[in-house]
Amino acid sequence: MTIVLQYVDKRGLVKESFVGLVHVMETSSSALKGQGYDGANNMRGQFNGLKAKILEENESAYYVHCFAHQLQLVVVTVAKKHLGVVNFLDNISILMNMVSVSCKRTDILRENEKERVEKEIGSGILETGIGLNQELSFIRPGDTRWNSHYKRLLRLVDMFPSIMRVVEHVKEECTNPSTQNQAINMLGFLSSFEFVFYLHLMLHCHTPRRKAETPGRA
């Protein structure tokens, strides 16, 4: 749970100061009692939600849906209205399922990543140090958290050569014709201009300060 202190300064401006993060064992409205909301039912519920709990003690309190959370919802919704982006994200989801559907494929991905990192450290491409070159995974995004989609795309760039090897393994070794054909189609997608274009577009739109690398250079 994020703890934020909200107050009004001498000029009448509302200020918010981040205090810290607290681990919570329960997510009921009573356990989360405090001034701050997203759109979940345990937050905005009319009778048992956090909003109701706050209003019992302070009738002047306003329910304000967290702006950051609203922005996340808007970005995800808008992105899914563009057919090209929808097709891109759907293919990335198929890729994730293909790569992580079994322990065997996950192990192949992990071993290829280990070999790649060791090789690039040895050749001086990667730097070494505390916190660097930690084991990565192809994360699954949350539907209402655009930042999780962004992180998944960053992982895709970083792990691209290893992910490609897993897809190639599925193409060559899988005995299921349907899955094998899916792997062939995925290799075509990952080699297409459309894939590279939307990957760079999505990374650039999230933050212009991040220079998206070309897949395969990671």
Side-chain angles (χ1 to χ4, degrees):
M1 180 172 65
T2 305
I3 307 298
V4 178
L5 178 64
Q6 186 183 63
Y7 57 94
V8 179
D9 67 10
K10 294 180 180 179
R11 294 178 296 174
L13 299 176
V14 178
K15 298 293 183 70
E16 290 186 344
S17 297
F18 172 75
V19 178
L21 297 172
V22 178
H23 178 70
V24 292
M25 298 295 293
E26 187 181 350
T27 58
S28 65
S29 58
S30 298
L32 296 176
K33 192 175 180 181
Q35 193 80 21
Y37 317 91
D38 62 16
N41 187 58
N42 65 332
M43 292 291 183
R44 60 186 172 89
Q46 182 178 359
F47 301 107
N48 297 316
L50 183 57
K51 170 189 175 182
K53 300 290 183 183
I54 297 297
L55 289 175
E56 287 176 3
E57 297 186 9
N58 186 354
E59 295 181 356
S60 300
Y62 286 95
Y63 171 82
V64 180
H65 191 163
C66 169
F67 176 77
H69 185 250
Q70 290 186 75
L71 182 60
Q72 292 274 352
L73 295 175
V74 169
V75 172
V76 172
T77 301
V78 170
K80 290 184 176 180
K81 293 294 183 180
H82 189 283
L83 293 180
V85 174
V86 170
N87 181 65
F88 173 78
L89 294 177
D90 285 348
N91 273 292
I92 298 302
S93 295
I94 293 172
L95 174 63
M96 167 172 279
N97 292 333
M98 182 181 299
V99 169
S100 58
V101 70
S102 68
C103 294
K104 182 177 181 180
R105 294 179 193 175
T106 302
D107 288 342
I108 294 173
L109 179 64
R110 183 181 294 114
E111 287 301 314
N112 276 283
E113 268 297 282
K114 180 180 178 182
E115 292 176 7
R116 179 187 67 82
V117 170
E118 290 176 348
K119 181 179 179 180
E120 294 190 358
I121 289 176
S123 59
I125 297 176
L126 292 178
E127 297 180 357
T128 58
I130 298 176
L132 297 178
N133 306 316
Q134 297 184 18
E135 183 174 315
L136 301 177
S137 61
F138 202 16
I139 62 174
R140 188 174 298 278
D143 289 337
T144 60
R145 297 290 187 271
W146 174 251
N147 196 50
S148 64
H149 289 275
Y150 175 68
K151 289 181 179 178
R152 179 170 65 164
L153 297 182
L154 290 180
R155 293 289 176 85
L156 174 59
V157 171
D158 292 334
M159 304 172 69
F160 189 80
S162 301
I163 290 173
M164 285 290 285
R165 289 192 179 94
V166 176
V167 180
E168 289 169 353
H169 169 81
V170 176
K171 171 192 170 185
E172 296 170 359
E173 303 295 333
C174 185
T175 57
N176 185 316
S178 178
T179 303
Q180 193 175 38
N181 185 61
Q182 189 179 56
I184 293 172
N185 291 333
M186 183 56 62
L187 288 172
F189 169 71
L190 294 175
S191 303
S192 68
F193 171 80
E194 178 185 8
F195 163 72
V196 176
F197 173 80
Y198 279 108
L199 177 61
H200 281 262
L201 175 66
M202 303 304 282
L203 291 175
H204 177 74
C205 287
H206 185 277
T207 167
R209 291 175 295 179
R210 164 82 185 196
K211 184 179 180 181
E213 300 176 12
T214 301
R217 293 182 58 192

